[in-house]
Amino acid sequence: MMYHAKARFANGIGLEDIAVAQSYIEWKGEKLTEDALSWQSPVTGTVYGTLLNFQEQMDALKNQFEKPPYHQAPERPVLYIKPRNTINAHLKEVAIPLDVDEIEVNGTLGIVISKTATNVKEVDAFDYVEGYTIVNDVSIPHQSYFRPAIKQKARDGFCPIGPWVVPKENVPEPDSLMIWTFKNDELIQVNNTKDLIRPIPRLIQDVTEYMTLAKGDLLIVGLPNHPPTAKHGDTIRIEIDYIGSLENRFVYENVQIAGGEKR
């Protein structure tokens, strides 16, 4: 089976049309393996994350939100931004701070916006979707939801995205996609977008009610409950139905071995 997608490569001007097969990528008439290409994030717009949109996560935190300062669960989407410095790409390393033992990995779906979206109605939401990609929203473990976790979530390279964007026409039922997370080839987590509290059309409606999304922006649908962790030397691979797989190796920052190779 082969499907078409758009990708960005090092030294490239913009998004490139590629064809994806099971064992190779076809680009400009050549058949290449994934590791023969230098991938860049296919997304260059603002990346917006969404908290508390998987039902299991909301259920697990329900008691916390009945206490001060909230006294009730949020009624609107809880958003945060993964700034430009966090953007990373397929097959690139993710640097773990030297003072951190392990970090959280959050395999999830990203919605790429196709045009300016303001006050979008749920029924029209898919008109504003360009396509979908895979996101690993990396974070240093933390417990507080009462203040922005900038120090934990906004580290350099803490948001691998890709490998490519699959057009929405090639992703049937985006609100029922399986998401698998593997660590060193061992399956460690399974999720499904059918468990979203706000399915994709509702999420787009609720977000654009009070803020505009621009062409090329990325909206992360939500984060799974109990995210797995990665340590130095681990390889994390995230697979999503109809989209593909995003893979990254985790290493301590600035750690070198003989010959200058990073470990």
Side-chain angles (χ1 to χ4, degrees), residues 106-139:
N106 292 278
T108 188
L109 179 70
I111 309 164
V112 182
I113 301 301
S114 64
K115 57 185 177 181
T116 302
T118 304
N119 290 318
V120 175
K121 299 303 181 185
E122 190 172 351
V123 67
D124 300 320
F126 286 118
D127 293 340
Y128 294 81
V129 174
E130 180 74 25
Y132 305 95
T133 190
I134 304 171
V135 181
N136 186 352
D137 187 346
V138 179
S139 177

Side-chain angles (χ1 to χ4, degrees), residues 46-53 57-58 65 70 74-83 109 111 113 117 137 142 145-150 153 198-200 202-214 217-223:
T46 303
V47 178
Y48 298 97
T50 307
L51 290 173
L52 308 173
N53 201 33
Q57 185 187 45
M58 178 64 86
F65 290 114
Y70 292 119
E75 296 180 354
R76 294 186 178 277
V78 179
L79 300 183
Y80 58 96
I81 292 176
K82 298 289 282 194
L109 179 70
I111 309 164
I113 301 301
D137 187 346
H142 59 283
Y145 288 84
F146 300 146
R147 60 179 61 87
I150 296 173
K153 299 186 75 66
R198 290 178 173 85
I200 291 169
R202 174 66 184 277
L203 179 62
I204 292 173
Q205 173 182 282
D206 288 356
V207 169
T208 62
E209 181 181 344
Y210 61 87
M211 60 180 282
T212 296
L213 297 175
D217 285 350
L218 181 74
L219 181 61
I220 299 172
V221 299
L223 303 181

